[in-house]
Amino acid sequence: MNIILFGPPGSGKGTQAKLLQSDRGLPQLSTGDMLRAAIAAGTELGKKCKAIMDAGELVSDEIVIGIIAERYAQKDCAGGAVFDGFPRSIPQAEALDKMLGNAGQAIDLVIELKVNDEILIKRVEQRIKESGGVARADDTPETLKNRLAVYYKNTAPLLDYYKAQGKLNTVDGMAPIDEVTHAIAAVIDAAEGK
Ligand code: AMP
């Protein structure tokens, strides 16, 4: 099964994607994690993306489509994957549909974690506090505002894209983590006819 976890920065996509990976064996494909790994490893790709990510802007569609295609081609994705933080633009969504179609697959479900902006800002502030201010260069109150603006401008239009495909499901991302996990499980089980 191929699932997109969808939502603004701080909505809990990463947390829930990791749980899906451990509970259902679907690998978490986080473009943000892949890009941060490239930066940490000092690769050319990482060098190209660092300033863009630190500013909370989107790296180019070409780059993220390339890293997703490479990752999805690995054996552990044969039974599907959980896409976390990808796609973030219409061209990325179209490229993903094409890539999956070529592999005889498709996106089965898009699960939106709905969270209001005030809660997102509070969550990111908490994440900054817990990390002592060093975990992520783009976790600053100023950058978060830009990441949210970028989300509403470039990424939120994907909700209509997936609604039109009949794949969009929305869960309350403001509920406690285990309740969100249950709500996601219910959506997946229903899609699997369980
Ligand atoms: P994330 O960890 O998903 O919040 O991503 C962190 C940063 O990586 C984003 O603010 C972007 O700069 C970059 N990034 C991650 N995924 C994408 C994507 N699908 N398209 C463009 N940029 C991305």
Side-chain angles (χ1 to χ4, degrees):
M1 181 171 260
N2 290 289
I3 300 171
I4 296 174
L5 280 186
F6 194 89
S11 58
K13 301 187 296 291
T15 302
Q16 297 298 335
K18 282 191 179 68
L19 288 167
L20 282 177
Q21 178 165 271
S22 54
D23 293 351
R24 304 204 183 229
L26 291 172
Q28 172 197 16
L29 269 50
S30 159
T31 39
D33 284 351
M34 293 175 209
L35 292 167
R36 280 184 289 277
I39 292 174
T43 65
E44 280 309 309
L45 178 86
K47 283 179 196 152
K48 228 192 227 172
C49 298
K50 184 171 184 341
I52 300 169
M53 289 173 68
D54 286 355
E57 298 291 332
L58 294 184
V59 308
S60 74
D61 289 335
E62 198 190 340
I63 287 179
V64 288
I65 290 165
I67 59 175
I68 277 286
E70 200 175 303
R71 179 65 187 86
Y72 194 79
Q74 290 172 22
K75 275 204 192 87
D76 62 330
C77 297
V82 179
F83 295 89
D84 161 15
F86 180 92
R88 261 176 156 102
S89 68
I90 297 280
Q92 289 179 25
E94 289 170 348
L96 179 61
D97 281 346
K98 207 165 153 196
M99 178 192 92
L100 292 173
N102 288 340
Q105 301 232 31
I107 289 297
D108 298 289
L109 285 175
V110 179
I111 304 177
E112 177 197 12
L113 306 181
K114 213 177 172 73
V115 179
N116 74 33
D117 286 1
E118 278 153 53
I119 302 238
L120 293 174
I121 291 168
K122 278 203 191 109
R123 280 188 184 174
V124 173
E125 281 169 357
Q126 186 65 26
R127 195 152 81 183
I128 296 167
K129 244 191 242 159
E130 282 166 8
S131 71
V134 292
R136 280 181 57 163
D138 61 349
D139 265 352
T140 67
E142 304 76 51
T143 311
L144 176 65
K145 278 198 193 112
N146 193 39
R147 287 163 63 204
L148 276 176
V150 168
Y151 171 79
Y152 287 114
K153 179 167 179 273
N154 299 88
T155 308
L158 290 178
L159 290 169
D160 281 340
Y161 179 89
Y162 288 114
K163 202 190 263 176
Q165 294 189 1
K167 293 177 179 169
L168 182 66
N169 296 266
T170 300
V171 305
D172 176 10
M174 290 176 281
I177 290 177
D178 59 335
E179 283 179 29
V180 178
T181 306
H182 270 107
I184 291 173
V187 169
I188 298 172
D189 289 345
E192 284 179 336
K194 281 185 192 158

